[in-house]
Amino acid sequence: VGLIEDGDSVILFNFRGDRAQEICRAFDEGEEFDKFDRGNKPDVNFAGMLQYDADLNIPKRYLTEPPKIKYTLTEQLVKEGINEYAISETQKFGHVTYFWNGNRSEKFSEDLETYVQVDSDVIPFEQRPWMKSAKITDKLIEAIESGKYQFLRTNYPNGDMVGHTGNLEATIIGVEAVDLALGRILKAVEKVNGILLVTADHGNADEMYDKPKEGEKVHKAKTSHTLNKVPFIVYGADVKLKHDDDMGLSDIAATVCQLLDVKPNENWRPSIIEEMK
């Protein structure tokens, strides 16, 4: 339609902060920006829908105040002196760090939080559906067996990122890669007499085709997230779980604290565990 030129106003209509931060920096930063050649950078009045990172002041101008997220699980664990380890590849690294800590780039504790990022391949996901699952698992097992950390977390992006491609064959390979990784992690958890929690934040690879509309005979690839319920699995602890349709991700923080024998925050929803045997 037309180039962005000097004197224009640009508003980024985005709520999530991970990819939004990248384009904000490209517009906001001066000569110190070195991520790619911006060419003739236009002099514009740039603003985000909100400030995606208040710690790093990204972007400098914004329309609304960012949500103030308090009482995160990491805050509670740091107060209790719990040593944490977070790892994923680039595609989901922000989900186990920035998003996990309430849209916060900085750590609550440099001493008690360890972040490890495995660089993702810059290639269409259906061409390497296993992604970096093996390397993530190598490092995670090493961390588990080190005995240094009491709470470790990871995110395997395969089911989501490969699922978005709509390629069924590649998605099956991606899910199998994660399955293989979990098998390896189970052995490491058993070795240290630990507990493993397995869940997801939404579905994607579980439903790869849309139902044909009336008059259509061909199933179209489904590339969006699904609304199906996700599993919550506890391995290594003899517990009875609640079965409540109202349960969600917000119930997991208290569950983690219960398994760690740590007092949960009073503002949280209750644990998913009904009984510990």
Side-chain angles (χ1 to χ4, degrees), residues 1 30 46 48 51 57 64 71 78 103 106 108 113 145 148 162 170 174 181 195 227 249 254 263 274:
V1 175
F46 179 85
Q51 189 169 49
N57 197 28
T64 61
Y71 314 126
V78 164
N103 293 356
E106 295 181 353
F108 287 98
E113 292 183 80
E145 294 182 349
K148 181 180 178 181
V162 187
I195 298 171
L227 300 178
L249 291 177
K263 183 179 178 181
E274 184 173 295

Side-chain angles (χ1 to χ4, degrees), residues 12-236:
L12 176 60
F13 283 85
N14 201 353
F15 181 79
R16 265 179 56 164
D18 47 351
R19 294 174 180 87
Q21 291 189 53
E22 296 175 353
I23 195 168
C24 286
R25 290 185 58 191
F27 273 102
D28 265 356
E29 293 184 11
E31 296 299 324
E32 72 276 12
F33 184 85
D34 60 0
K35 302 305 178 184
F36 60 87
D37 182 5
R38 293 176 293 184
N40 184 22
K41 176 177 173 289
D43 182 15
V44 301
N45 186 22
F46 179 85
M49 175 64 76
L50 47 74
Q51 189 169 49
Y52 305 109
D53 193 318
D55 298 322
L56 300 178
N57 197 28
I58 302 173
K60 296 181 175 66
R61 292 177 293 275
Y62 49 93
L63 303 186
T64 61
E65 290 287 338
K68 304 297 183 183
I69 301 174
K70 300 186 294 183
Y71 314 126
T72 62
L73 176 57
T74 294
E75 286 180 83
Q76 196 72 8
L77 296 184
V78 164
K79 289 178 184 177
E80 298 291 336
I82 300 293
N83 208 342
E84 301 179 60
Y85 181 92
I87 182 172
S88 188
E89 61 178 280
T90 309
Q91 290 296 328
K92 296 293 182 181
F93 180 69
H95 290 65
V96 296
T97 55
Y98 169 79
F99 289 129
W100 183 277
N101 281 352
N103 293 356
R104 178 189 177 100
S105 294
E106 295 181 353
K107 297 176 182 178
F108 287 98
S109 170
E110 287 292 337
D111 295 329
L112 296 175
E113 292 183 80
T114 298
Y115 292 173
V116 177
Q117 178 177 197
V118 176
D119 292 338
S120 291
D121 293 318
V122 184
I123 192 172
F125 301 117
E126 67 269 26
Q127 294 183 19
R128 291 183 187 170
W130 46 86
M131 300 183 71
K132 293 297 184 179
S133 58
K135 192 166 184 179
I136 292 171
T137 306
D138 291 343
K139 292 181 176 294
L140 181 57
I141 289 174
E142 182 181 350
I144 291 171
E145 294 182 349
S146 73
K148 181 180 178 181
Y149 309 99
Q150 292 79 56
F151 180 64
L152 304 92
R153 59 185 181 267
T154 190
N155 184 312
Y156 288 103
N158 309 61
D160 187 24
M161 305 311 297
V162 187
H164 278 310
T165 69
N167 186 315
L168 177 60
E169 182 181 15
T171 303
I172 291 172
I173 294 171
V175 172
E176 288 176 340
V178 175
D179 196 35
L180 181 64
L182 283 174
R184 295 177 58 204
I185 292 172
L186 284 177
K187 293 179 181 178
V189 170
E190 289 174 348
K191 187 175 180 180
V192 299
N193 195 30
I195 298 171
L196 176 67
L197 305 181
V198 183
T199 191
D201 56 344
H202 54 72
N204 193 324
D206 53 313
E207 193 175 318
M208 293 298 295
Y209 292 97
D210 280 321
K211 293 180 180 179
K213 296 179 181 178
E214 188 175 349
E216 293 181 344
K217 295 182 179 180
V218 179
H219 287 70
K220 293 182 180 178
K222 184 181 180 70
T223 58
S224 60
H225 296 161
T226 71
L227 300 178
N228 300 324
K229 295 182 184 299
V230 301
F232 182 78
I233 301 167
V234 179
Y235 180 86

Side-chain angles (χ1 to χ4, degrees), residues 237-277:
D238 190 6
V239 298
K240 179 182 178 182
L241 300 180
K242 300 173 185 175
H243 293 276
D244 187 339
D245 287 342
D246 191 41
M247 290 280 177
L249 291 177
S250 56
D251 299 282
I252 295 177
T255 308
V256 169
C257 284
Q258 186 173 354
L259 292 170
L260 289 173
D261 197 23
V262 168
K263 183 179 178 181
N265 189 288
E266 61 182 9
N267 296 283
W268 291 349
R269 285 169 56 90
S271 169
I272 297 173
I273 296 173
E274 184 173 295
E275 179 185 350
M276 294 189 68
K277 302 175 182 178

